[in-house]
Amino acid sequence: IRPAISAYAQMPTTPSSSTQAWAMPKRAPAWHTGEGWIAEEALATALLCVLRHPDDPVAAIGRGATTAGDSDSIAALAGAFLGAAHGMSGWPADWATRIEYADQLATLGATWD
């Protein structure tokens, strides 16, 4: 996921058919990709939140949680994507003790690093 986030961050921010949603950050992510009531929309909307905030997991989760539709699922997916990309160090220190199964996730992540 790290290469995908980096590659997308390098894309131009002028509107085109492939970058239109990226170029209009004032609109809610769900406006571009759907409200997340079906899996494809939840996935796309969460990815848009991640792509808008690739280095700030808290902002990505917040954006997902405050968008229209199935916001809890969108926020959870955004958090999962950025957790996979950044690992435990990407989260605020005071969150580390509140992440469920953090020790198991860290062990699993170390296997893939």
Side-chain angles (χ1 to χ4, degrees):
I1 194 164
R2 286 181 196 149
I5 292 172
S6 295
Y8 199 84
Q10 301 302 319
M11 291 180 69
T13 58
T14 55
S16 71
S17 60
S18 63
T19 62
Q20 188 174 7
W22 176 256
M24 296 183 216
K26 293 187 181 202
R27 289 209 167 136
W31 191 88
H32 301 287
T33 53
E35 293 185 346
W37 297 116
I38 58 174
E40 295 87 354
E41 290 178 359
L43 176 72
T45 305
L47 284 173
L48 183 54
C49 292
V50 168
L51 293 172
R52 286 186 175 173
H53 305 282
D55 296 319
D56 189 351
V58 175
I61 289 173
R63 193 63 188 109
T66 59
T67 197
D70 191 6
S71 56
D72 59 328
S73 295
I74 293 165
L77 285 166
F81 298 147
L82 286 169
H86 295 289
M88 296 298 288
S89 64
W91 300 99
D94 61 329
W95 284 31
T97 59
R98 299 185 324 199
I99 296 175
E100 192 172 12
Y101 303 112
D103 57 335
Q104 294 173 22
L105 291 169
T107 300
L108 183 61
T111 304
W112 295 99
D113 283 340

